Amino acid sequence: MRRRSPRRLLGVLAAATAALTLFSSASTAGAADSATTAARTAAAQSSDTAAGALSTSTPVVFVHGYTGDASNWVTAMSVFRLNGWAGSDLFAYEYNSYGNNITNAQGLAAFVDDVKARTGASKVAIVNHSMGGLVSQYYLKVLGGNTSVSHLASIAGANHGTTYAGACLIYTTCRQMYPGSSFISEITSGDETPGTTRYATWYSACDGIILPYTSTRLDGATNNNVLCQTHIGFLADTVVLGQIARFVAS
């Protein structure tokens, strides 16, 4: 067997040590983020256990974004069914993307009441996307809807607005969605996650529509930073949608 020179062996060891150090630093940073998320999840799950955990019988109301409709939720509903929900407990709320989000939130309130009456449930879960975050937040915070909502999951929600809305300011909904609007101020002032509702968000730096992308985060919520997902791509992301189904079932 050919013997390596001491100098060559030292070079190999140095390279291996540098690689190990770099990997360890990245792993430590990732582990810290994971540990924080895990701690929040564990605390929330512990709270649920004490209060009585919900099951997959909880009706789910999906709220689309700007220019969206019920078809946006085809994949999400499939994922929820795979996670144990009956199709009869999954509902998609549709509203006017060009009208007024106050009116849209009032419509959501009536829709939730109808779902509760039809299913006999005392509460529903809400899953929203994009501008649906504004509609949902107004309902929960301003209209007191948090008493009827067990879980709120916001996917790339425009919860603190997006400068992208500057492209459609001729519409009331877009003016309300622009950062600094009176509408945004109303839903973000004080407690952003009122009541006993459990709140969680999913957002990504690759979003491209929610600008800044951190706009989705809510104080008091479990905020999940997805490595890289586009705004529309979230609607077909079965990994994220599976996480949301499990969150709602917890």
Side-chain angles (χ1 to χ4, degrees):
M1 179 183 294
R2 183 180 178 182
R3 298 180 62 185
R4 296 183 178 179
S5 68
R7 179 176 297 179
R8 182 175 179 80
L9 285 173
L10 286 174
V12 172
L13 287 172
T17 301
L20 179 59
T21 301
L22 180 61
F23 177 78
S24 297
S25 297
S27 298
T28 300
D33 289 340
S34 298
T36 300
T37 300
R40 289 177 179 170
T41 302
Q45 289 176 341
S46 176
S47 176
D48 276 340
T49 300
L54 295 175
S55 68
T56 56
S57 62
T58 305
V60 183
V61 174
F62 296 91
V63 185
H64 66 75
Y66 181 69
T67 73
D69 56 36
S71 67
N72 292 167
W73 300 111
V74 170
T75 301
M77 288 188 178
S78 294
V79 171
F80 270 71
R81 287 195 295 271
L82 286 173
N83 277 274
W85 267 265
S88 57
D89 284 328
L90 303 175
F91 303 85
Y93 170 60
E94 294 188 305
Y95 60 87
N96 180 8
S97 289
Y98 312 104
N100 188 311
N101 280 322
I102 295 176
T103 302
N104 294 334
Q106 292 168 339
L108 176 58
F111 189 85
V112 168
D113 285 344
D114 182 60
V115 168
K116 288 166 60 181
R118 290 167 61 181
T119 62
S122 59
K123 292 186 177 184
V124 305
I126 288 180
V127 178
N128 66 56
H129 177 248
S130 194
M131 193 172 76
L134 301 188
V135 177
S136 302
Q137 288 300 104
Y138 195 92
Y139 165 55
L140 267 72
K141 181 169 182 175
V142 181
L143 302 182
N146 62 83
T147 59
S148 292
V149 179
S150 63
H151 294 68
L152 185 286
S154 187
I155 311 170
N159 299 324
H160 292 89
T162 172
T163 57
Y164 199 87
C168 57
L169 293 178
I170 59 172
Y171 300 114
T172 299
T173 48
C174 288
R175 293 196 295 274
Q176 292 170 329
M177 189 162 43
Y178 199 81
S181 70
S182 58
F183 186 94
I184 295 293
S185 296
E186 189 169 12
I187 64 173
T188 58
S189 62
D191 188 0
E192 293 186 349
T193 52
T196 58
T197 303
R198 287 189 60 197
Y199 297 78
T201 72
W202 281 260
Y203 64 103
S204 175
C206 298
D207 186 295
I209 300 296
I210 301 302
L211 305 172
Y213 73 95
T214 52
S215 172
T216 297
R217 294 173 58 93
L218 291 170
D219 288 342
T222 298
N223 297 297
N224 301 280
N225 190 349
V226 179
L227 182 60
C228 192
Q229 184 54 274
T230 63
H231 192 65
I232 300 301
F234 269 115
L235 296 173
D237 190 327
T238 55
V239 172
V240 168
L241 295 171
Q243 292 172 359
I244 292 170
R246 291 187 291 276
F247 163 71
V248 173
S250 65

